[in-house]
């Protein structure tokens, strides 16, 4: 597929326009895609004091409960409990040094620097004036600078300590809040009594006459153009270019403390305040974003614009990421009557009518300009359908009040059962023909309104069902009707049914799209259907669609069809659809948009309409459960970003971490290796895919999906190289050119060394040669007595022949022992050394063979994946030894519960897998449930007192899968569904 999500292919750095003729230049902050993290999502503390990004892509967070590293998927905590170099958990500052180091300033523990796997801490004993650090950095000369809480600034210059404080006249205050190394190599210090500039070791306080207020300075930063930006207790200031004076950044900002500032790639300034939340300055415009709009807290202590363009805000109540995603969603945050959008229709003169569960809205110029609710005569329930009539009025189909006609913002007419309209008052679709007849799709039939008179079409007139879902007026005047049991076409008074039963079993027809040549596309509950020249064909799950219930199909006129569903929006190239329908290729390749792409909700709505459309500017609009989403298809090409490189996070040898280097050298006897890696990205990390290979053992790449850990067991001595590579299916690009590698050398045992083997061979040869010489001498002596010893010689030769036969038998026995030993080694290669069950290699091989047998014989085949719930907590709370005993217990319990009904293997880490041949999904699910209960009954009090083991599992059947990897992916998805549903359960 071209992608599981275009979050990866569409890393965003610029705004997405709304109405091109009326929209402002910038998308409102409230329309940005937002993610929030607190202690509930894994942060150790909700106050984020500092944010930094290192050159490998990782995000580093400073909290009151330790240092946090984030790779886009999970947080890793470094604190006093697991990192001896960390002398205090209160992290006030985090800086990324140019050499890749992380510089951490703590509340009571001095300054700690992490360089690779090495940690080093400096405290008062090492030359610091104080252990209470407010900020710290490593400058380009390798000097360590530390701003302290009450003792000024210390510079550690390769062992020499230089102090800057009030006592030596260098600083106006000993309270130093922040530091900045400028592009010219000089240093700026923010203090409680102003700003100080240190040049060539000389400190020069900025005079009050320079324009800064008589107030503490909290932050000083430099933008890409070299401008100096200063956050003070009374607002944000900018140094006037070419001058030593400062001026207010904007008079529109409040006179509030500014502890954080950052400028993005577009030159917009983001300002974090103490009491008033987050501000963005774009030109002369200032926009505020506060806790009323989902900011965790109005005190924004830290800000960062990462390399992918996302804005990170660290507050007193959590961490937030804002990103300008491809989709913009408009909802109640921007003033709409409700989030639940049921219908859309383009307004005359530009703009969009948006019908919601609580009224009608008019969007124009990147804002909601009008709202109509029950107080304006609107129905008190959902707007289900919209139609801009030829007479300029707007027809509104409701849930219980029939049809309303609006003109100039006023309701001028109503059509419902109380006024003689047949059918029902629930109106899900509207259409108008060339003669001005209005067609009304209700849940009890289709109504034609002509000159104030009504005609009802129902099952008696040829409809398959009375429940009307969608309507489409064809170019030739034919009305297409989508019902809950198929489609019909109405021409004049003639009703003709379209038999859809043979096309994937489709029934519900949610939407239509007509091509200029008359081809009709239909979005149905069983995929996308194409009706051309009297022939109906369908695309569904078997053709590669990830979901078969589609609500709308829209042509972007750029060669793509856009499909909406309950699980996001698909962009399907027309040439892909046509090629698969013609049998030229399979499966489909497409882009899949979700919540990481700006959809506040991936649930698009259907059963009303229109639920998706293309406006006059070429933008695609989609009705969702959390607002009206819009995207500009023509701008997607501008959002591509380089693939991230994989980073090796950890290498374990025999379950013990090793120091990472270009080549990792391991001692003799090392049998097990584990590699953990990630490609840090914060826009779409969960959609990245990985592959690996261990050169020296594997001849080719092994695709790993989204798994980021791989294990090897029973390795022999020798030289290996581990490679890992990243792909982005959502980009439509293959594997990236960058490969991350590490060399591995496992030393041999003494008897495995070449020198030992060579010496043994030489000694053997010398013994043979000595035996040969002795034999020749012996024969010569015997030759002299040959005549007298013929009979003795014959006997000796006979005995020698018998010895040779015995030797031959010994050789045969030795070969047999070697064969048995080889078979034992082969079994070890297919068996997990810790648990005694099969390993992934053995199950992979058997799964491939079993899948082929199942396809050929059409027999049942099921595959299940189990994951030990919260296993990491066992290791963290009780020790890795306890974790190993827990894994052994789980393996034995799973094996006992399986009772020979399938093949069990350790899939990797805390995951296990089971292959079921000739067993139905229902039976496999029941067996898996029994296995889950066996694990639940395990007594682990001996090694993890108070802990109860449990597993989550997903079990999938082969179904229509044509590749065994698809079966594994289905089981994996069900496993994660079980995890999300609360763990300790089986989903299948």
């Amino acid at each position: 597929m071209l992608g599981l999500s275009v979050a990866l292919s569409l890393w965003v750095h610029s705004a997405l326009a709304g109405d091109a003729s009326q929209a402002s230049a910038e998308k409102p902050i409230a329309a940005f895609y937002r993610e929030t993290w607190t202690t509930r999502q894994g942060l150790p503390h909700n106050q984020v004091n500092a944010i930094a990004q290192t050159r490998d892509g990782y995000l580093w967070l400073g909290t009151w409960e330790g240092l946090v590293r984030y790779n886009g998927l999970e947080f890793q905590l470094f604190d006093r409990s697991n990192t001896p170099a960390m002398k205090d958990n209160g992290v006030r500052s985090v800086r990324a040094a140019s050499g890749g180091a992380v510089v951490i300033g703590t509340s009571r523990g001095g300054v700690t620097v992490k360089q690779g796997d090495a940690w080093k801490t400096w405290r008062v004993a090492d030359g610091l004036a104080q252990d209470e650090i407010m900020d710290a950095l490593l400058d380009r000369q390798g000097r360590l600078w530390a701003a302290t809480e009450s003792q000024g600034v210390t510079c550690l210059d390769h062992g020499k300590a230089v102090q800057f404080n009030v006592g030596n006249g260098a600083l106006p205050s000993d309270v130093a809040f922040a530091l900045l190394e400028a592009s010219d190599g000089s240093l700026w210090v923010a203090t409680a009594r102003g700003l100080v500039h240190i040049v060539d070791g000389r400190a020069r306080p900025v005079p009050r006459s320079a324009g800064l207020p008589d107030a503490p300075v909290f932050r000083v930063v430099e933008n890409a153009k070299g401008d100096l930006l200063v956050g003070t207790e009374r607002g944000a200031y900018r140094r006037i270019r070419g001058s030593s004076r400062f001026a207010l950044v904007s008079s529109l900002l409040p006179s509030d403390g500014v502890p954080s500032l950052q400028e993005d790639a577009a030159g917009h300034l983001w300002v974090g305040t103490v009491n008033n939340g987050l501000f963005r300055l774009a030109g002369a415009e200032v926009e505020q974003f506060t806790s009323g709009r989902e900011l965790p807290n109005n005190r924004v202590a830290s800000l960062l614009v990462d390399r992918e363009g996302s804005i990170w805000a660290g507050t007193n109540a959590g961490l937030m990421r804002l990103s300008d995603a491809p989709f913009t969603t408009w909802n109640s945050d921007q003033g709409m009557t409700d989030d639940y959008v049921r219908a859309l229709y383009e307004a005359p003169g530009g703009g969009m009518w948006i019908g919601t569960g609580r009224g009608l809205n008019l969007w124009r110029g990147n804002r909601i300009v009008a709202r109509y609710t029950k107080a304006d005569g609107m129905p008190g329930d959902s707007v289900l359908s919209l139609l801009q009539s030829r007479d300029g009025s707007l027809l509104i189909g409701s849930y219980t009040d029939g049809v309303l006609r609006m003109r100039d913002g006023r309701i001028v007419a109503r059509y419902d059962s109380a006024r003689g309209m047949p059918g029902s008052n629930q109106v899900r679709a509207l259409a108008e023909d060339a003669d001005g007849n209005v067609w009304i799709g209700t849940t009890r039939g289709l109504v034609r309104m002509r000159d104030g008179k009504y005609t009802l079409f129902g099952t008696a007139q040829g409809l398959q069902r009375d429940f009307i879902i969608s309507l489409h007026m064809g170019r030739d005047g034919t009305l297409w009707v989508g019902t809950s049991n198929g489609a019909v076409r109405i021409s004049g008074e003639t009703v003709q049914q379209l038999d859809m039963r043979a096309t994937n079993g489709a029934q519900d027809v949610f939407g239509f799209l007509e091509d200029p040549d008359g081809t009709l596309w239909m979005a149905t509950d069983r995929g996308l259907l194409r009706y051309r020249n009297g022939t109906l064909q369908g695309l569904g799950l078997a053709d590669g669609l990830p979901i078969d219930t589609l609500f709308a199909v829209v042509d972007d006129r750029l060669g793509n069809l856009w499909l909406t569903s309950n699980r996001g929006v698909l962009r399907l190239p027309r040439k892909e659809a046509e090629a698969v329908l013609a049998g030229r290729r399979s499966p489909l390749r497409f882009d899949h948009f979700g919540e990481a792409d700006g959809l506040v909700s991936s649930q698009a709505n259907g059963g009303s309409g229109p639920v998706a459309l293309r406006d006059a500017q070429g933008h695609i609009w989609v009705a969702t459960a959390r607002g009206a989403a819009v995207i500009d298809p023509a701008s997607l090409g501008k959002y591509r970003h380089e693939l991230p490189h994989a980073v090796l996070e950890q290498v374990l040898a025999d379950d013990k971490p090793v120091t990472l280097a270009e080549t990792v050298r391991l001692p003799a006897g090392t049998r097990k290796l584990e590699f953990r890696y990630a490609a840090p990205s914060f826009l779409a990390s969960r959609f990245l895919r990985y592959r690996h290979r261990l050169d020296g053992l594997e001849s080719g790449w092994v695709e790993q999906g989204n798994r980021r850990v791989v294990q090897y067991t029973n390795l022999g001595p020798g030289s290996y190289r581990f490679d890992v590579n990243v792909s982005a299916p959502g980009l439509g690009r293959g594997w990236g050119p960058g490969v991350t590698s590490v060399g591995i050398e496992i030393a041999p045992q003494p008897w495995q060394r070449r020198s030992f083997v060579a010496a043994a061979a030489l000694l053997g040869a010398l013994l043979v040669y000595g035996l040969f010489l002795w034999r020749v001498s012996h024969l010569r002596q015997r030759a002299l007595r040959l005549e007298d010893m013929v009979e003795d010689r014959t006997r000796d030769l006979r005995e020698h022949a018998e010895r040779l036969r015995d030797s031959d038998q010994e050789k045969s026995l030795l070969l047999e022992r070697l064969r048995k030993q080889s078979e034992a080694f082969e079994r070890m290669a297919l068996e997990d050394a810790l648990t005694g069950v099969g390993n992934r290699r053995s199950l992979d091989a058997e799964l491939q063979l079993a899948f082929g047998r199942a396809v050929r014989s059409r027999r049942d085949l099921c595959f299940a994946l189990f994951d030990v719930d919260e296993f990491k907590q066992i290791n963290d709370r009780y020790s890795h030894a306890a974790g190993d005993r827990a894994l052994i217990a789980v393996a034995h319990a799973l094996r006992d519960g399986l009772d020979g009904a399938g093949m069990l293997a350790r899939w990797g880490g805390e995951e296990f897998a089971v292959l079921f041949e000739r067993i139905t999904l229902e039976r496999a699910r029941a067996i898996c449930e029994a296995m889950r209960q066996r694990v639940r009954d395990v007594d682990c009090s001996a090694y993890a007192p108070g802990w109860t083991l449990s597993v989550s599992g997903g079990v999938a059947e082969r179904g229509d899968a044509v590749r065994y990897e698809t079966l594994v992916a289905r089981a994996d998805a069900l496993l994660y569904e079980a995890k999300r549903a609360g763990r300790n359960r089986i989903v299948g």
Side-chain angles (χ1 to χ4, degrees), residues 963-985:
R963 299 176 56 195
Y964 75 89
E965 292 89 346
T966 304
L967 176 58
V968 174
R970 290 176 180 173
D972 191 53
L974 291 169
L975 167 60
Y976 280 97
E977 184 176 339
K979 286 286 187 182
R980 289 192 298 268
R983 303 186 178 93
N984 190 27
R985 65 193 65 226

Side-chain angles (χ1 to χ4, degrees), residues 468-487:
I468 310 302
I469 300 176
S470 56
L471 295 173
H472 169 71
M473 187 60 63
R475 287 177 169 83
D476 61 358
T478 296
L479 177 68
W480 288 90
V481 184
T483 78
S484 58
N485 193 24

Side-chain angles (χ1 to χ4, degrees), residues 445-467:
L446 176 66
V447 178
R448 181 180 64 196
M449 184 170 66
R450 175 186 293 172
D451 299 329
K453 298 180 179 180
Y454 301 102
T455 302
L456 179 65
F457 293 78
T459 54
Q461 287 74 38
L463 298 183
Q464 294 101 321
R465 288 284 293 276
D466 288 336
F467 197 111

Side-chain angles (χ1 to χ4, degrees), residues 191-459:
T191 79
R193 298 192 64 186
L195 188 63
V196 177
H197 195 192
I198 300 178
V199 181
D200 297 328
R202 295 182 60 191
R204 303 169 183 171
V206 174
R208 299 299 182 194
S209 60
L212 289 176
D214 185 11
V217 176
F218 297 138
R219 186 69 55 188
V220 55
V221 299
E222 185 179 38
N223 67 12
K225 296 178 181 179
D227 298 328
L228 205 65
L229 301 166
V230 182
T232 78
E233 190 179 61
R234 298 180 188 172
Y237 287 77
R238 184 191 303 269
R239 187 172 60 176
I240 301 170
R241 191 170 299 175
S243 166
S244 60
R245 294 188 56 78
F246 293 80
L248 269 174
V249 166
S250 172
S251 60
L252 299 178
L253 289 174
S255 181
D256 191 7
V258 177
S260 56
L261 303 102
Q262 279 281 291
E263 195 166 273
D264 63 24
H268 304 150
L269 180 63
W270 296 78
V271 179
T273 67
V274 172
N275 300 298
N276 288 279
L278 180 64
F279 291 83
R280 180 183 66 179
L281 282 71
E285 296 183 359
V286 175
E287 186 179 4
Q288 185 180 13
F289 187 69
T290 68
S291 57
R293 291 288 180 86
E294 297 184 14
L295 187 69
N297 184 272
N298 283 338
R299 183 181 180 91
V300 184
S302 53
L303 283 171
L304 174 77
V305 178
D306 71 20
R307 65 185 61 180
E308 295 171 332
S310 293
I311 293 89
W312 296 83
T315 76
N316 280 18
L319 175 70
M320 170 170 275
R321 180 176 73 86
L322 298 157
S323 64
D324 185 5
F327 271 97
T328 300
T329 299
W330 301 92
N331 54 28
S332 57
D333 280 349
Q334 291 81 40
M336 277 175 39
T337 56
D338 188 38
D339 287 347
Y340 202 83
V341 177
R342 302 300 301 266
L344 301 161
Y345 213 96
E346 188 167 12
M352 188 65 57
W353 290 107
I354 304 172
T356 75
R358 295 181 181 176
L360 181 67
N361 307 266
L362 178 59
W363 174 95
R364 181 173 282 135
N366 255 359
R367 63 191 182 96
I368 302 299
V369 297
R371 294 159 34 105
Y372 303 92
T373 63
K374 191 173 182 178
D376 304 295
M378 292 292 294
D381 50 28
S382 293
V383 172
L384 291 183
S385 52
L386 294 170
L387 173 67
Q388 192 73 50
S389 181
R390 294 171 182 271
D391 65 2
S393 63
L394 180 69
L395 293 175
I396 305 165
S398 70
Y399 196 85
T400 58
D401 289 357
V403 180
L404 297 82
R405 186 183 296 273
M406 176 183 282
R407 184 177 288 112
D408 299 327
R410 296 173 49 249
I411 303 300
V412 298
R414 297 175 183 269
Y415 313 100
D416 55 22
S417 58
R419 293 168 178 80
M421 188 182 81
S424 79
N425 285 335
Q426 188 176 134
V427 179
R428 293 179 173 269
L430 293 164
E432 186 176 25
D433 62 25
D435 298 327
N437 300 318
V438 176
W439 295 84
I440 304 169
T442 80
T443 56
R444 295 183 182 175
L446 176 66
V447 178
R448 181 180 64 196
M449 184 170 66
R450 175 186 293 172
D451 299 329
K453 298 180 179 180
Y454 301 102
T455 302
L456 179 65
F457 293 78
T459 54

Side-chain angles (χ1 to χ4, degrees), residues 38-120:
T38 66
T39 52
R40 292 184 178 182
Q41 288 77 39
L43 282 177
H45 193 279
N46 283 332
Q47 180 160 329
V48 180
N49 298 316
I51 312 172
Q53 187 175 29
T54 45
R55 62 185 183 184
D56 54 13
Y58 285 104
L59 208 67
W60 296 83
L61 311 173
T63 78
W64 288 126
E65 289 298 332
L67 176 70
V68 179
R69 184 178 73 181
Y70 186 48
N71 61 16
L73 290 172
E74 59 193 7
F75 296 105
Q76 183 175 359
L77 175 65
F78 301 90
D79 62 9
R80 295 179 64 229
S81 68
N82 59 24
T83 308
M86 294 285 292
K87 304 304 180 183
D88 185 54
N89 287 346
V91 178
R92 281 175 167 165
S93 73
V94 182
R95 297 276 190 157
S98 57
V102 183
V103 184
I104 307 111
T106 66
S107 178
R108 294 174 50 195
V111 179
T112 300
V113 176
K114 179 184 183 298
Q115 181 76 59
D117 286 338
W119 298 75
K120 186 175 180 181

